[in-house]
């Protein structure tokens, strides 16, 4: 099976998902992830059906399967904090319907930060919000992302994610997104990825894994920081990331790069090329800047 790899791409007001697909093609990628608006706010524009149809046509022409496409919910919604319960639920429901009208299946969501309420209360708030937002008819899969454990982030261990899933009524609408930078920063040793997968399978179940975010990390294992680095430049390293990207048990699961721009230049074309070659490009940064 062919490697399914892409990156974070933009979703602009005038071009919407059509622009996202066009950007994806520039990177020689076969999938992509986007926010339906700015990640740091919840201002959203209506989905334009004509642009969506054009995007789908272009995807079809280029063998991009919409089943592998991912939307990321804005990180400003914090389901772990019950103070904003009504706002969170209203926004999440709207986001779900936007994603459904785009025909996308996967919506990645940060579980949230408990902001001093404690992990247990935070998890319960997340469960309550999800149980009000998801219905029998929900078509998207909410992919809970594994977090670095920065501040009071919930979801820094497989056990916390599992506890959330246990409380959700419609478990078939829930998946998990592994983020390599977050796992590293949370204290998981990515040089032994087989053991991580084994643990994931034991605690959560591999059948829940829907998306993998591929990022290197600017910080050492267990730093609880969450600063992404370019592929092969950070503390995880190229060989460990390649083993993850090409792991047998992760076949068919979309891999999405969220690595940082280099002086305003997207790094994705060069990083994807390097990943396909399975060989680190010593001139990566120079090539990105070219
Ligand atoms: Fe994320
Ligand atoms: Fe991520
Ligand atoms: Zn991150």
């Amino acid at each position: 099976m062919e490697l399914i790899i892409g990156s974070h791409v933009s979703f602009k007001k005038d071009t919407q998902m059509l622009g996202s697909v066009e950007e994806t093609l520039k990177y020689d990628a076969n999938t992509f992830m986007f926010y339906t608006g700015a990640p740091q706010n919840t201002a959203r524009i209506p989905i334009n059906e004509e642009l969506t149809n054009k995007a789908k046509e272009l995807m079809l022409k280029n063998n991009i399967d919409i089943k592998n496409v991912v939307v990321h919910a804005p990180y400003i919604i914090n389901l772990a904090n019950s103070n904003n319960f009504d706002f969170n639920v209203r926004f999440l429901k709207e986001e779900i319907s936007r994603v459904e009208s785009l025909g996308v299946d996967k919506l990645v969501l940060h579980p949230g930060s408990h902001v001093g309420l404690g992990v247990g209360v935070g998890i319960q708030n997340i469960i309550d919000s999800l149980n009000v937002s998801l219905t029998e008819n929900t078509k998207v899969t909410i992919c809970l992302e594994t977090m670095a454990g920065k501040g009071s982030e919930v979801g820094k261990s497989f056990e916390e994610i599992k506890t959330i899933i246990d409380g959700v009524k419609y478990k078939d609408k829930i998946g998990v997104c592994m983020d390599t930078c977050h796992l590293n920063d949370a204290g998981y040793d990515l040089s032994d990825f087989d053991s991580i997968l084994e643990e994931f399978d034991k605690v959560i179940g591999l059948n829940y894994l829907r998306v993998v975010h591929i990022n290197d990390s600017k910080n050492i294992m267990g730093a609880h920081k969450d600063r992404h680095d370019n592929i092969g430049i950070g503390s995880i390293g190229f060989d460990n990331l390649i083993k993850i990207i090409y792991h047998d048990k992760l076949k068919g699961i979309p891999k999405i790069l969220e690595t940082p721009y280099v002086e305003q230049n997207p790094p994705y074309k060069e990083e994807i090329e390097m990943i396909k070659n399975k060989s680190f490009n010593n001139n990566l940064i120079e090539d990105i800047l070219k």
Side-chain angles (χ1 to χ4, degrees), residues 33 35 72 75 108-110 145 147 179 182 213 228 258:
M33 181 181 82
Y35 292 84
H72 198 310
Y75 41 75
V108 167
L109 177 74
H110 292 181
E145 183 165 356
M147 301 310 293
D179 183 306
H182 298 175
H213 285 169
H228 302 184
E258 305 171 291

Side-chain angles (χ1 to χ4, degrees), residues 74-136:
Y75 41 75
I76 197 160
I77 63 162
N78 181 7
L79 302 189
N81 183 357
S82 49
N83 286 342
N84 303 324
F85 188 86
D86 292 338
F87 171 80
N88 285 337
V89 165
R90 195 177 349 115
F91 181 84
L92 186 56
K93 281 182 173 168
E94 283 167 13
E95 183 76 350
I96 287 170
S97 77
R98 259 191 301 277
V99 174
E100 287 177 347
S101 70
L102 288 163
V104 171
D105 286 336
K106 299 180 211 329
L107 176 58
V108 167
L109 177 74
H110 292 181
S113 297
H114 66 70
V115 292
L117 300 168
V119 178
V121 174
I123 286 179
Q124 193 56 52
N125 290 336
I126 296 163
I127 291 170
D128 293 343
S129 314
L130 288 172
N131 279 336
V132 177
S133 307
L134 297 172
T135 74
E136 204 182 350

Side-chain angles (χ1 to χ4, degrees), residues 151-277:
S152 64
E153 272 174 355
V154 177
K156 60 188 179 297
S157 68
F158 298 156
E159 286 77 9
E160 289 183 9
I161 302 268
K162 163 69 173 164
T163 310
I164 298 170
I165 296 173
D166 278 345
V168 174
K169 183 171 177 210
Y170 296 109
K171 292 181 175 50
D172 58 321
K173 326 266 182 213
I174 298 286
V176 177
C177 168
M178 265 190 187
D179 183 306
T180 55
C181 169
H182 298 175
L183 287 176
N184 174 78
D185 288 21
Y188 288 92
D189 180 4
L190 290 172
S191 70
D192 186 9
F193 191 65
D194 281 327
S195 299
I196 293 181
L197 274 188
E198 225 172 89
E199 194 187 328
F200 186 97
D201 195 31
K202 213 169 59 192
V203 177
I204 301 174
L206 260 184
N207 55 313
Y208 277 99
L209 187 60
R210 295 299 151 77
V211 183
V212 181
H213 285 169
I214 302 288
N215 304 302
D216 216 324
S217 174
K218 286 196 196 291
N219 292 100
I220 55 163
M221 192 174 88
H224 302 299
K225 291 278 200 211
D226 189 5
R227 290 188 64 214
H228 302 184
D229 208 344
N230 293 104
I231 302 301
I233 305 280
S235 68
I236 301 172
F238 189 73
D239 293 345
N240 287 329
L241 289 171
I242 285 292
K243 273 188 212 148
I244 296 167
I245 293 166
Y246 287 98
H247 200 287
D248 260 357
K249 291 189 172 152
L250 266 45
K251 265 188 192 156
I253 295 175
K255 319 287 184 324
I256 304 285
L257 304 171
E258 305 171 291
T259 48
Y261 274 41
V262 181
E263 295 174 26
Q264 278 105 56
N265 296 282
Y268 307 122
K269 184 179 169 44
E270 287 75 15
E271 287 181 334
I272 287 170
E273 189 184 349
M274 182 170 85
I275 286 167
K276 286 179 179 167
N277 292 336

